[in-house]
């Protein structure tokens, strides 16, 4: 069997220690990981993260004042470094943050995160991860002498989100933690984890890797970030992994089907699929019939439209990236449900590139389709594009890749055109980059 889509949480040794140890201290000091030295910083609540971000950049909570706030940020340009060498190096613990989502202890927050099936909305979790990643980077680049940060830090890429098998309860507290793990000249890799309370301990739920970029105070050009000095073998391994991740992304991009032809094996796969759809009665290349238990890719599509209002803006008055991820995920989940005929569960989020910002007032078009299936697994691709109310020109802003696992085997999906064949191969590549398959467990409930 091909390697399938559930990437188990490969929580690195430095991050595997139960969260209780981050606050109360480890019961086994000899096994303490490097992150235990970060326990001095008190956790904050998830609903305060965006308030802290607005404070850091001087953003207004009033849409009518946003232009004035942006004008004031121009004055911060003098605080920007001329080179990275002029910035003090930071350690991983300098950016370490813990954030609490008190679903159990503060039930009033619960409804925002509830699905109609009384489970957790994973789209809301994506929003929280996006905000947390930005705040972590601001902690790494903090300037003590400035009341506001001259940097505009934005999400460039969701590299991967690996789900664990632990279930999510809507009545137990959730904890997020994270820190900067690798730094380039103007970009940063952020490692984040999510845990949920089970009795007296917190169990791991997911492991996320985001890439953030720093821009100047007006968000018009790149800006240098503080260098990172790893301390100890665990941090050195995390930093080395960041370098490898960068190289992997470059290699994956260079092999894109938009740049290079499919491999010989992939061409054979597509040709065999094409031959299996030919009608044996006509012996014609134009007469196509579906094999048993199969669906044409074009019949797996769902679409949606959003008007981008100021309520969904980020601290720089563009549409919040977490909102885009939530809307794309929920459409992808509905696509997988509609295709498979049973409730799907997310097992991986992969390679979300933020190509263009989305302006307030834009029309956001989302198009979702199944591009690859195997056994119980459904690979869904969501394409996002925007246009303004004044212009009919559309431009792509994001492409999202989600892997779902159904409760039962799902039909095969077959491409009819060459373009759909490329989508199939791209979906297969993302799927095959995952880990080994596991059985669906009843406690595994991560939904829109």
């Amino acid at each position: 069997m091909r390697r399938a889509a559930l990437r188990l949480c490969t929580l690195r040794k430095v991050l595997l220690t139960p969260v209780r140890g981050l606050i109360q201290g480890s019961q086994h000091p000899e096994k303490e990981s490097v992150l235990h030295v970060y326990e001095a910083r008190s956790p904050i609540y998830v609903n305060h993260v965006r308030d802290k971000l607005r404070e850091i950049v001087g953003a207004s909570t009033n849409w009518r004042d946003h232009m004035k706030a942006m004008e004031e940020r121009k004055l911060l340009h003098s605080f920007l470094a001329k080179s990275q060498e002029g910035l003090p190096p930071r350690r991983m613990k300098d950016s370490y943050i813990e954030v609490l989502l008190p679903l159990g202890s503060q039930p009033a927050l619960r409804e925002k995160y509830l699905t109609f099936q009384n489970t957790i909305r994973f789209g809301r979790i994506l929003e929280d991860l996006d905000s947390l990643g930005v705040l972590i980077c601001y902690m790494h680049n903090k300037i003590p002498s400035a009341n506001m940060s001259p940097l505009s830090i934005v999400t460039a890429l969701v590299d991967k989100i690996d789900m664990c098998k632990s279930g999510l309860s809507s009545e137990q507290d959730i904890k997020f933690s994270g820190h900067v793990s690798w730094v380039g000249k103007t970009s940063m890799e952020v490692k984040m984890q999510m845990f949920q309370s089970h009795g007296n301990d917190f169990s791991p739920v997911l492991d996320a890797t985001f890439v953030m970029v720093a821009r100047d105070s007006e968000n018009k050009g790149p800006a240098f970030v503080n260098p990172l000095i790893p301390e100890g073998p665990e941090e050195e391994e995390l930093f080395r992994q960041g370098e490898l991740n960068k190289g992997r992304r470059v290699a994956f991009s260079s092999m894109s089907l938009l740049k290079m032809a499919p491999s010989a094996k992939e061409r054979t796969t597509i040709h065999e699929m094409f031959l299996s759809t030919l009608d044996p009665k006509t012996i014609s290349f134009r007469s196509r019939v579906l094999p048993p238990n199969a669906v044409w890719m074009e019949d797996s599509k769902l679409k949606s439209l959003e008007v981008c209002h100021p309520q969904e803006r980020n601290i720089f008055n563009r549409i919040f990236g977490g909102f885009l991820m939530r809307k794309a995920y929920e459409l992808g989940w509905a696509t997988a449900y509609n295709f498979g005929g049973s409730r799907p569960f997310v097992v991986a989020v992969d390679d979300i590139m933020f190509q263009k910002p989305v302006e307030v007032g834009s029309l956001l078009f989302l198009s979702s389709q199944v591009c690859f299936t195997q056994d119980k697994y459904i690979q869904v691709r969501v394409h996002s594009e925007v246009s303004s109310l004044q212009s009919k020109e559309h431009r792509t802003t994001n492409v999202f890749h989600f892997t779902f696992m159904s409760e039962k085997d799902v039909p095969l999906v077959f491409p009819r055109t060459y373009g759909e064949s490329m989508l199939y191969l791209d979906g297969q590549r993302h799927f095959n980059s995952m880990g080994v398959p596991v059985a669906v467990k009843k406690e595994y409930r991560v939904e829109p």
Side-chain angles (χ1 to χ4, degrees):
M1 179 185 292
R2 291 176 186 161
R3 289 166 47 147
L6 182 56
R7 284 186 292 195
L8 304 177
C9 261
T10 54
L11 303 180
R12 286 151 295 278
K13 180 179 179 181
V14 66
L15 298 175
L16 265 173
T17 310
V19 175
R20 182 174 59 178
L22 296 176
I23 298 178
Q24 300 174 354
S26 173
Q27 297 176 351
H28 304 283
E30 71 279 6
K31 297 182 180 179
E32 275 193 356
S33 73
V34 66
L35 293 188
H36 284 93
V37 300
Y38 305 169
E39 58 191 38
R41 183 173 295 147
S42 299
I44 63 174
Y45 289 102
V46 71
N47 54 329
H48 296 155
V49 169
R50 294 184 76 175
D51 293 336
K52 291 183 71 68
L53 288 173
R54 279 190 286 266
E55 179 183 339
I56 288 171
V57 302
S60 172
T61 57
N62 191 330
W63 169 246
R64 291 176 297 179
D65 297 334
H66 75 281
M67 294 300 296
K68 178 182 177 182
M70 290 298 102
E71 285 295 319
E72 292 176 350
R73 283 192 57 78
K74 293 181 180 180
L75 303 176
L76 300 173
H77 204 274
S78 60
F79 286 95
L80 293 171
K82 305 300 181 183
S83 68
Q84 192 177 45
E85 289 71 22
L87 292 170
R90 297 286 159 78
R91 298 169 294 177
M92 291 187 187
K93 68 179 182 181
D94 293 330
S95 61
Y96 180 78
I97 300 176
E98 288 184 1
V99 174
L100 296 177
L101 175 56
L103 297 178
S105 54
Q106 295 186 19
L109 288 174
R110 198 175 297 160
E111 188 166 320
K112 177 182 176 182
Y113 288 84
L114 278 180
T115 72
F116 61 91
Q117 296 164 327
N118 203 39
T119 54
I120 295 294
R121 296 178 64 181
F122 186 67
R124 292 294 189 192
I125 300 300
L126 291 175
E127 289 183 323
D128 293 339
L129 288 171
D130 193 41
S131 295
L132 176 60
V134 175
L135 180 59
I136 287 170
C137 289
Y138 274 117
M139 298 301 296
H140 175 82
N141 294 280
K142 186 175 182 180
I143 301 177
S145 61
N147 293 327
M148 294 188 297
S149 174
L151 298 178
S152 302
I153 297 175
V154 296
T155 306
L157 172 71
V158 179
D159 188 40
K160 59 181 178 178
I161 299 177
D162 298 332
M163 302 301 303
C164 298
K165 292 184 293 184
S166 300
L168 280 182
S169 167
S170 60
E171 299 181 356
Q172 299 294 329
D173 289 354
I174 285 173
K175 182 176 291 185
F176 301 91
S177 65
H179 62 92
V180 172
S181 58
W182 174 86
V183 165
K185 293 289 186 182
T186 62
S187 61
M188 295 156 284
E189 182 185 89
V190 177
K191 298 289 188 186
M192 292 176 283
Q193 289 180 278
M194 174 177 156
F195 303 83
Q196 184 158 50
S197 173
H198 292 283
N200 295 324
D201 293 316
F202 280 83
S203 300
V205 174
L206 64 78
D207 183 24
T209 303
F210 282 45
V211 177
M212 308 291 183
V213 294
R215 299 178 64 79
D216 62 27
S217 55
E218 298 180 69
N219 199 11
K220 292 182 177 180
F224 294 106
V225 299
N226 293 70
L228 179 66
I229 297 179
E231 297 180 323
E234 293 92 350
E235 290 193 0
E236 289 173 357
E237 175 60 24
L238 280 179
F239 194 88
R240 187 187 71 85
Q241 187 61 49
E243 290 283 359
L244 294 176
N245 289 341
K246 178 183 177 181
R248 172 181 52 80
R249 289 189 291 265
V250 172
F252 194 84
S253 175
S254 66
M255 296 295 292
S256 168
L257 292 167
L258 294 173
K259 300 176 181 178
M260 295 186 64
S263 67
K265 183 179 179 180
E266 290 173 330
R267 292 195 297 270
T268 300
T269 297
I270 293 301
H271 187 66
E272 289 176 349
M273 294 183 73
F274 172 74
L275 293 179
S276 69
T277 63
L278 294 182
D279 189 348
K281 298 178 181 178
T282 62
I283 316 179
S284 169
F285 288 127
R286 300 182 61 181
S287 182
R288 309 280 298 278
V289 293
L290 275 172
N293 192 35
V295 177
W296 291 121
M297 187 182 290
E298 64 186 11
D299 295 329
S300 70
K301 292 182 180 180
L302 287 181
K303 296 184 178 182
S304 69
L305 168 66
E306 297 285 339
V307 181
C308 298
H309 295 291
Q311 181 184 11
E312 307 301 341
R313 74 189 188 278
N314 63 16
I315 52 178
F316 304 113
N317 295 299
R318 264 75 179 262
I319 295 301
F320 174 42
F323 169 79
L324 302 176
M325 286 193 285
R326 174 166 64 88
K327 288 299 181 179
Y329 171 80
E330 291 177 352
L331 181 62
W333 182 89
T335 302
Y337 203 149
N338 186 60
F339 181 88
S342 65
R343 182 167 50 183
F345 308 105
V346 62
V347 294
V349 181
D350 184 50
D351 194 27
I352 300 176
M353 179 74 74
F354 289 83
Q355 300 177 21
K356 300 285 184 181
V358 178
E359 303 291 343
V360 172
S362 299
L363 296 178
L364 175 66
F365 298 87
L366 294 171
S367 177
S368 175
Q369 67 185 118
V370 175
C371 55
F372 180 81
T373 62
Q374 179 176 299
D375 301 326
K376 293 182 173 67
Y377 298 94
I378 307 171
Q379 189 72 31
V380 177
R381 181 182 188 269
V382 182
H383 180 262
S384 168
E385 59 184 18
V386 296
S387 71
S388 67
L389 292 171
Q390 294 76 31
S391 170
K392 295 183 179 180
E393 180 183 359
H394 288 224
R395 57 188 179 90
T396 297
T397 60
N398 305 81
V399 177
F400 305 84
H401 301 275
F402 303 106
T403 306
F404 295 94
M405 181 168 56
S406 180
E407 293 178 316
K408 61 183 181 181
D409 286 353
V410 299
L412 297 173
V413 64
F414 272 73
R416 296 189 79 159
T417 66
Y418 186 80
E420 287 181 347
S421 297
M422 297 302 100
L423 290 179
Y424 180 91
L425 293 178
D426 187 57
Q428 185 183 56
R429 288 181 178 185
H430 283 281
F431 180 81
N432 286 339
S433 69
M434 313 300 175
V436 296
V438 297
V440 179
K441 295 185 177 292
K442 291 183 178 180
E443 73 270 16
Y444 192 89
R445 295 292 182 265
V446 187
E447 299 174 17

